[in-house]
Amino acid sequence: MRKKVVAGNWKMNKNLSEAIQLVSDLRNGLDSFEPNCDVIVCPPFTNLESVNTIIKDSKIHLGAQNFYFKDSGAFTGEISADMLLSVGVEYVIVGHSERRAIFKEDDSVINLKLKQAFTKGLKPILCVGETLEQREGGITKEVIKNQITAALKEIPAENIANMILAYEPIWAIGTGKTATPEQAEEVHKFIRDLISELYNSNVAENLTIQYGGSVKPANAESLLSQPDIDGALVGGACLQADSFIEIIKSA
Ligand code: PEP
């Protein structure tokens, strides 16, 4: 049985004192009920260590938003898997559309990052999604298939149990536009069938596939009640503890 996972991607938001406030509010809010899902927060690098101290022995898991696939060396400005692990990070977002579009990360870099994450014991949250133009051109499934096939190249089945896949239509990220539950479910089902083809049905059935793209308290329940939607990757609505908690309750 798959467990739902709700993750918050803080992006480039929150200085140290704001991060401490947000995660403390979140921890206090979650102490009052038993969430029916796993909860992950992905703050900026500069907040990871402090956030980790605050979430110790709580229901909240720690994720990072990015890392580099090399072990160490002359890579100015980059962060390694070992560095993340040393401050308590368990998950890492890989292939977010903002990394792909703004920082020009291509499928081969994403594949190397996934391999390094698995080697080091970090659990990747692999993001895939189509642009509005691609959706309107009727090639959503082709785009998703290409992204997933390239990202998972040479990655063995046993690693898939240690990752999360997030379907994030780019036209829905930070735009206030959300895929309808039916649109999202159609792609999630397609992804699960693809994983079954690439690996086997057992691997596919056990894979958590999150939806991301303007998830908020008002639409979370209808999205998360779809059979192949196993949680949410939340941007804007995770920056306030109240709205993130409402989404967690919907799961
Ligand atoms: C995201 O950045 O992964 C995301 C889904 O953002 P938002 O919820 O703001 O659309």
Side-chain angles (χ1 to χ4, degrees), residues 9 11 96 98 127 168 172-176 212-215 233-237:
N9 173 12
K11 309 195 186 188
H96 191 281
E98 289 152 16
C127 302
E168 298 208 302
I173 295 179
T175 58
S214 298
V215 175
L233 181 52
V234 183

Side-chain angles (χ1 to χ4, degrees), residues 1-15:
M1 181 63 185
R2 299 187 293 272
K3 194 159 193 198
K4 285 195 167 29
V5 183
V6 174
N9 173 12
W10 296 13
K11 309 195 186 188
M12 198 173 73
N13 293 293
K14 308 292 179 189
N15 63 27

Side-chain angles (χ1 to χ4, degrees), residues 3 12 38 41 57 69 85-86 89 112 122 128 160 186 220 251:
K3 194 159 193 198
M12 198 173 73
D38 284 345
V41 291
D57 303 319
F69 57 80
L85 290 162
S86 74
V89 169
L112 288 170
L122 279 171
V128 296
I160 308 301
E186 187 186 354

